[in-house]
Amino acid sequence: MADLENGATSAALDDRVVPFTVPDLDVRGRVVRLGASIDTILARHGYPEAVSRVLGEAAALTVLLGTALKFEGRFQLQTKSDGPISMMVVDFNAPDVYRAVAHFDEAALAQAVAEGKVSTGELLGEGHLAMTVDQGSATTRYQGVVALTRQSLEEAAHQYFRQSEQIPSRIRLGVGSIVTGEGRQWRAGGLLVQFMPHSVDRLRAADIHPGDAPEGHEILTSPDPDGVSDDAWAEARSLVETVEDHELLDPLLESERLLYRLFHERGARVFEPVLVHEDCRCSRERVLGMLRGFSADDRQAMVADDGTLAITCEFCSRRYVFAATEVEAGLSAGA
């Protein structure tokens, strides 16, 4: 841990998460910058620009939350909705690996773009967002679900923290692209700040306004959406809301420098960054096991004229080809 004064001097500014605290404000948080990893994911699938932007936001949000895991496990963000982008899945395997995929309707997306309805909320539509923590087979999975009602992913995340974690939180997400000598490259960034006071009383929600209260009656109200009436949280929340997208995406602006801009008067402290990268959990063995889990009729329907079964991973587009006899032989051996 180090006091933040003049920023970091790291050569690798991308694909890293910087945890931090601001003791004077009783807040903690993380900043994420995704560069080559998110560009690889989006370029691999050749997503349209609107889809790339929304999936980039989802990836930044997932990495922000997934890097908080203190154990070997998996954090997954998934959306299912009725908009042009019907589904997104982002997997984060602690401590540092993620992958992402999106499904979309080309005709509906083209119409939305033509009508200028390209905000995240409009592209997702209505449905739900689920966040799942999986610590392995020995532990029960935890899942929090919030409704998608054409709001942004930032707003959906705030709703998740209010109802599932009950921790006052603010999130900023940004996605964009830059032009380099190698062409256009996608980038994504995010900032998470959470209010974690030592005193539980400071988390007490403000009372709902009672209407026509007797004269002289003191009413505790708060403009904060989380209902927390605390000057420190109000200051932290206000500072986060000043962050611009370009500050989250600028390849020359270190995360440490951004935090210094925001919290230098309060003495922000940063911790060792977590380096992340994109990778897929698929393997020939995993896919073979999945095929053997299908019914005999389903497996037979998948066999091509040349006697092979082919599966393409929707995350990484890797193609696996098996001889039908190889799949069946394994079943016979295990019988």
Side-chain angles (χ1 to χ4, degrees):
M1 181 176 68
D3 291 331
L4 186 61
E5 295 179 355
N6 296 318
T9 57
S10 172
L13 304 182
D14 289 339
D15 296 323
R16 63 200 292 263
V17 180
V18 178
F20 69 92
T21 65
V22 185
D24 282 359
L25 296 179
D26 282 331
V27 299
R28 69 180 184 186
R30 290 180 294 282
V31 181
V32 61
R33 301 290 185 108
L34 302 179
S37 64
I38 192 63
D39 184 64
T40 297
I41 289 173
L42 300 179
R44 176 185 292 139
H45 293 279
Y47 291 124
E49 181 172 343
V51 177
S52 292
R53 178 173 50 78
V54 179
L55 186 58
E57 287 184 4
L61 175 58
T62 302
V63 174
L64 271 177
L65 302 183
T67 47
L69 297 181
K70 304 301 183 184
F71 49 81
E72 295 289 334
R74 183 167 65 125
F75 178 85
Q76 183 185 81
L77 178 151
Q78 181 173 356
T79 67
K80 287 188 177 180
S81 53
D82 62 3
I85 302 177
S86 58
M87 186 182 78
M88 295 189 299
V89 179
V90 187
D91 276 336
F92 182 87
N93 285 341
D96 57 7
V97 181
Y98 77 101
R99 61 180 185 170
V101 67
H103 292 177
F104 64 96
D105 183 303
E106 292 187 13
L109 180 65
Q111 181 177 350
V113 171
E115 296 175 356
K117 298 178 179 180
V118 293
S119 69
T120 297
E122 290 168 323
L123 292 175
L124 291 179
E126 299 187 2
H128 70 266
L129 178 151
M131 297 186 187
T132 306
V133 177
D134 188 350
Q135 300 184 50
S137 57
T139 307
T140 303
R141 294 195 314 167
Y142 168 79
Q143 184 176 77
V145 180
V146 298
L148 290 176
T149 54
R150 301 184 182 277
Q151 76 270 49
S152 68
L153 282 179
E154 291 177 0
E155 293 168 336
H158 295 157
Q159 183 180 345
Y160 166 80
F161 278 110
R162 281 195 297 270
Q163 72 180 37
S164 299
E165 305 292 336
Q166 297 183 343
I167 300 175
S169 306
R170 277 297 171 274
I171 290 176
R172 280 285 292 114
L173 302 172
V175 178
S177 60
I178 60 173
V179 178
T180 70
E182 299 177 358
R184 186 182 186 190
Q185 295 182 348
W186 282 98
R187 301 178 57 78
L191 170 65
L192 166 67
V193 174
Q194 297 181 303
F195 185 47
M196 302 291 289
H198 296 291
S199 171
V200 177
D201 289 341
R202 292 180 62 195
L203 281 172
R204 183 166 63 92
D207 295 333
I208 298 175
H209 198 292
D212 296 329
E215 184 177 354
H217 178 75
E218 182 180 358
I219 303 171
L220 176 64
T221 59
S222 169
D224 183 67
D226 298 304
V228 177
S229 182
D230 190 283
D231 291 342
W233 174 236
E235 180 180 341
R237 187 190 70 244
S238 298
L239 289 172
V240 171
E241 290 170 354
T242 68
V243 176
E244 302 286 346
D245 283 5
H246 69 85
E247 293 180 290
L248 295 172
L249 303 176
D250 187 347
L252 300 181
L253 177 61
E254 301 128 319
S255 296
E256 291 86 348
R257 174 57 61 181
L258 173 59
L259 292 172
Y260 179 74
R261 286 181 178 179
L262 288 174
F263 301 114
H264 66 278
E265 292 184 356
R266 291 294 190 170
R269 295 179 178 180
V270 298
F271 298 85
E272 190 71 21
V274 178
L275 303 182
V276 300
H277 63 280
E278 67 84 23
D279 199 3
C280 191
R281 296 188 299 117
C282 73
S283 67
R284 186 174 181 82
E285 292 72 22
R286 285 177 180 267
V287 175
L288 187 57
M290 178 189 68
L291 287 173
R292 289 171 176 165
F294 293 154
S295 69
D297 289 341
D298 287 341
R299 290 196 305 274
Q300 186 58 41
M302 297 172 65
V303 178
D305 293 340
D306 62 357
T308 63
L309 291 81
I311 296 289
T312 300
C313 176
E314 64 176 355
F315 282 96
C316 67
S317 300
R318 188 176 294 127
R319 185 174 174 82
Y320 296 92
V321 179
F322 304 89
T325 54
E326 178 184 1
V327 178
E328 301 302 323
L331 286 168
S332 299

